[in-house]
């Protein structure tokens, strides 16, 4: 028996078949007598051939697997392309139907010939390309303006301006159209068009801490009140710009605040109180001066008033909720190089700021 840890080999002839045992023993004995070594004859090729076949089969399997993967990827890519084409075609059909419907609605108003209608459609596509808007949005915006009794060219002009405003402010097309319409209607005596209004808004946007959206939101709320109070368009934008930069309030809040201030200024008690305080509120013909002039005159004397007088003025002109905005405006107007004067100057020099900004974008 082998001891633990040792490996022994033994040949028991009784367990070998007769023929194989005799041949094996005979060969071993002959080798011993001749003093030679027992050298088995191993056919290496016979051993390597199966391994080669296995290796070759594995390589073929890898190639087949790679080919299968490529087919799957190609199929997926093809399916994606076909799906994209299908979706694009559906979108094209839907867009075409929508555009034709909108053009039909427009022509019901304009009553253009086929040639003029096609020309108008091409010009709408040019507006869509230049403002990065879909033709459907452009057509719907044109419908809004056409319903105001405008001609073809004025409709195209206002549509383009409204969509530039949409691009610069984030307002949707309807809001942009309403903003420009409200501004034009409120300051119709000034003869301003939508392009001039848009350029002035962008000029203030570019030079001061106020956005075109803030100005647009304020204009919708205070435009008509400003016109009635004798406030010019440039002055109104300067007021909005100043209030925004000093207080940081948003355009809607500023518009409502200015509307309240303008409404209170016309009250008889306000005029009488200011006159008693020595503030100049009338011209040589006893007509009440424009709102901005009265506010500037008040700003110059505000710091000389007593505490109770300041509170009285704030309550009369600003009420409970807008007194802070009133004080902010007067504080700026009292300065020699005020934000108001700077913004008024910038807005007055506006030319084609909106067009350049749109082209840059």
């Amino acid at each position: 028996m082998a001891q633990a840890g040792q490996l022994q080999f033994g040949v028991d002839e009784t367990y070998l078949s007769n023929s194989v045992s005799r041949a094996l023993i005979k060969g071993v004995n002959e080798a011993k007598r001749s003093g030679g070594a027992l050298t088995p004859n191993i056919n290496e090729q016979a051993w390597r051939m199966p391994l080669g076949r296995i290796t070759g089969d594995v390589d073929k399997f890898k190639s087949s697997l790679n080919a299968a993967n490529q087919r799957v990827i190609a199929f997926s890519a093809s399916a994606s392309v076909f799906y994209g084409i299908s979706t694009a075609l559906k979108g094209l059909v839907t867009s075409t139907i929508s555009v034709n419907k909108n053009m039909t609605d427009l022509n019901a108003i304009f009553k253009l010939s086929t040639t003029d209608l096609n020309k108008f459609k091409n010009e709408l596509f040019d507006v869509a390309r230049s403002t990065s808007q879909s033709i459907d949005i452009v057509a719907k915006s044109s419908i809004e303006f056409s319903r105001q009794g405008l001609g073809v060219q004025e409709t195209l002009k206002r549509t383009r301006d409204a969509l530039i405003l949409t691009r610069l402010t984030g307002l949707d097309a309807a809001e942009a159209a309403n903003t420009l319409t409200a501004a034009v209607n409120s300051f119709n005596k000034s003869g301003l068009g939508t392009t001039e209004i848009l350029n002035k808004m962008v000029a203030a946007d570019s030079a001061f801490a106020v956005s075109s959206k803030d100005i647009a939101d304020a204009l919708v709320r205070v435009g008509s009140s400003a016109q009635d109070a004798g406030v010019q368009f440039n002055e109104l934008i300067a007021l909005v710009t100043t209030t925004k930069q000093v207080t940081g309030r948003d355009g809607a809040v500023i518009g409502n605040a200015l509307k309240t201030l303008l409404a209170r200024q016309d009250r008889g008690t306000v005029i009488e109180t200011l006159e008693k305080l020595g503030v100049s509120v009338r011209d040589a013909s006893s007509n009440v001066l424009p709102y901005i002039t009265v506010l500037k005159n008040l700003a110059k004397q505000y710091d000389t008033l007593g505490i109770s007088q300041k509170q009285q003025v704030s309550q009369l002109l600003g009420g409970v909720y807008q007194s802070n905005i009133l004080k902010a405006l007067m504080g700026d107007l009292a300065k020699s190089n005020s934000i108001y004067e700077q913004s008024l100057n910038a807005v007055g020099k506006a030319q084609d700021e909106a067009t350049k900004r749109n082209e840059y974008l």
Side-chain angles (χ1 to χ4, degrees):
M1 180 179 293
Q3 295 181 357
Q6 295 181 348
L7 182 62
Q8 295 183 351
F9 294 90
V11 178
D12 192 348
E13 295 179 2
T14 60
Y15 287 92
L16 300 175
S17 63
N18 294 331
S19 59
V20 174
S21 298
R22 286 193 297 270
L24 180 59
I25 294 171
K26 181 180 178 181
V28 172
N29 292 333
E30 289 179 355
K32 289 180 178 181
R33 286 194 299 269
S34 62
L38 181 61
T39 304
N41 185 15
I42 299 175
N43 190 345
E44 295 181 3
Q45 186 176 4
W47 285 95
R48 291 176 181 173
M49 287 180 63
L51 294 176
R53 293 193 189 97
I54 293 173
T55 304
D57 291 341
V58 170
D59 291 339
K60 290 179 180 178
F61 175 75
K62 289 182 179 179
S63 299
S64 299
L65 186 61
N66 289 335
N69 288 336
Q70 291 176 1
R71 291 190 186 96
V72 171
I73 294 172
F75 175 78
S76 300
S78 300
S80 299
V81 170
F82 285 126
Y83 178 77
I85 292 174
S86 175
T87 303
L89 290 174
K90 290 179 181 178
L92 177 62
V93 172
T94 302
S95 179
T96 301
I97 293 172
S98 178
V99 170
N100 287 335
K101 177 184 179 301
N102 290 328
M103 294 306 299
T104 301
D105 293 340
L106 282 167
N107 204 34
I109 299 173
F110 291 134
K111 295 180 173 54
L112 301 174
S113 65
T114 302
T115 301
D116 291 338
L117 182 62
N118 288 332
K119 180 181 178 181
F120 181 54
K121 184 188 294 186
N122 291 334
E123 290 174 329
L124 287 181
F125 273 104
D126 289 337
V127 172
R129 281 191 291 269
S130 65
T131 58
S132 295
Q133 302 291 336
S134 70
I135 184 62
D136 188 52
I137 292 177
V138 175
K140 289 179 180 178
S141 182
S142 296
I143 291 175
E144 292 296 324
F145 285 115
S146 66
R147 289 171 178 167
Q148 299 175 14
L150 304 174
V152 173
Q153 293 305 315
E154 185 63 22
T155 296
L156 283 170
K157 176 185 175 183
R158 294 196 182 188
T159 298
R160 182 177 180 276
D161 292 337
L163 294 178
I164 291 177
L165 183 59
T166 295
R167 190 178 194 183
L168 299 181
T169 63
L171 297 172
D172 62 33
E175 290 174 329
N178 291 336
T179 297
L180 292 179
T181 299
V184 169
N185 293 340
S186 298
F187 294 91
N188 53 3
K189 295 179 182 178
S190 302
L192 292 173
T194 54
T195 303
E196 291 80 8
I197 290 172
L198 184 59
N199 285 327
K200 292 177 183 295
M201 293 169 64
V202 175
D205 182 322
S206 302
F208 299 92
V210 63
S211 68
S212 296
K213 186 178 186 305
D214 286 322
I215 297 174
D217 289 340
L219 287 178
V220 172
R221 290 163 174 80
V222 72
S224 58
S225 299
Q227 175 76 356
D228 294 339
V231 177
Q232 301 301 314
F233 185 76
N234 291 358
E235 295 173 336
L236 179 57
I237 292 185
L239 284 175
V240 174
T241 300
T242 303
T243 307
K244 173 65 179 181
Q245 188 153 323
V246 174
T247 67
R249 308 298 293 273
D250 61 46
V253 173
I254 292 172
N256 289 328
L258 291 177
K259 184 178 181 180
T260 300
L261 296 179
L262 291 171
R264 285 176 170 269
Q265 188 259 351
D266 288 336
R267 295 180 180 180
T269 54
V270 173
I271 300 299
E272 292 175 2
T273 300
L274 292 178
E275 286 180 326
K276 290 178 181 179
L277 293 174
V279 178
S280 178
V281 295
R282 299 181 186 275
D283 59 16
S285 301
S286 297
N287 296 319
V288 176
L289 295 170
Y291 176 78
I292 297 297
T293 304
V294 173
L295 201 59
K296 286 182 178 179
N297 293 338
L298 174 61
K300 293 176 182 177
Q301 291 188 229
Y302 187 76
D303 288 339
T304 65
L305 301 177
I307 296 177
S308 60
Q309 291 175 323
K310 289 181 179 179
Q311 292 177 344
Q312 182 183 14
V313 170
S314 298
Q315 289 292 326
L316 283 174
L317 287 176
V320 177
Y321 300 105
Q322 312 303 342
S323 58
N324 288 336
I325 288 182
L326 174 65
K327 293 176 182 178
L329 279 174
M330 288 193 297
D332 180 75
L333 290 172
K335 299 175 181 178
S336 57
N337 189 27
S338 64
I339 298 172
Y340 174 83
E341 292 296 338
Q342 293 178 43
S343 57
L344 184 65
N345 184 51
V347 171
K349 294 180 178 179
Q351 294 181 349
D352 56 352
E353 283 77 2
T355 302
K356 289 180 178 178
R357 178 82 66 86
N358 182 63
E359 290 175 353
Y360 175 77
L361 293 175

